[in-house]
Amino acid sequence: MNTKFKRPKFTTEFKQGAVKLVTEQGYTSQGAADSLGISLSAITRWVKAESGSQARPGTKQESLNLSERNELDMLRKENAKLLMEKEILKKAAVFFAKESE
């Protein structure tokens, strides 16, 4: 039986709000996780990411906080879309150049 658990997706705003519960409002990580209905490991990851302490030496994302990671993901998706559109336009230009000959 191959039932893979799918991790829920949370918005950057939700993650930042959860982090603020721990960092600004005095909740424990477990208390914030329980009140939001999320796992302790998720909120712990988010707190580390926001504080920058999740740095892995030699990685490109060693100093990105949650909002910066979100922006990077959005920019990567936009870049992929633009590259695809560029390829389509190249093919169209070749097609129309051959057609006009």
Side-chain angles (χ1 to χ4, degrees), residues 37-98:
I38 58 174
S39 69
L40 176 60
S41 62
I43 198 160
T44 302
R45 251 189 343 268
W46 300 342
V47 170
K48 285 180 183 178
E50 195 65 20
S51 68
S53 64
Q54 195 177 14
R56 293 185 192 127
T59 63
K60 292 179 182 178
Q61 293 186 350
E62 60 185 278
S63 63
L64 300 179
N65 64 26
L66 292 172
S67 59
E68 291 169 334
R69 284 187 186 173
N70 185 50
E71 182 180 12
L72 178 60
D73 289 340
M74 288 182 353
L75 291 171
R76 284 181 174 163
K77 287 177 185 174
E78 183 180 355
N79 189 42
K81 179 183 173 193
L82 292 170
L83 289 171
M84 183 179 66
E85 290 173 353
K86 178 182 167 189
E87 287 302 312
I88 291 169
L89 290 172
K90 276 186 189 178
K91 290 176 184 177
V94 169
F95 174 79
F96 288 117
K98 286 181 182 178

Side-chain angles (χ1 to χ4, degrees), residues 22-40:
V22 175
T23 59
E24 295 176 8
Q25 296 183 15
Y27 279 74
T28 63
S29 293
Q30 184 66 58
D34 291 342
S35 68
L36 295 172
I38 58 174
S39 69
L40 176 60

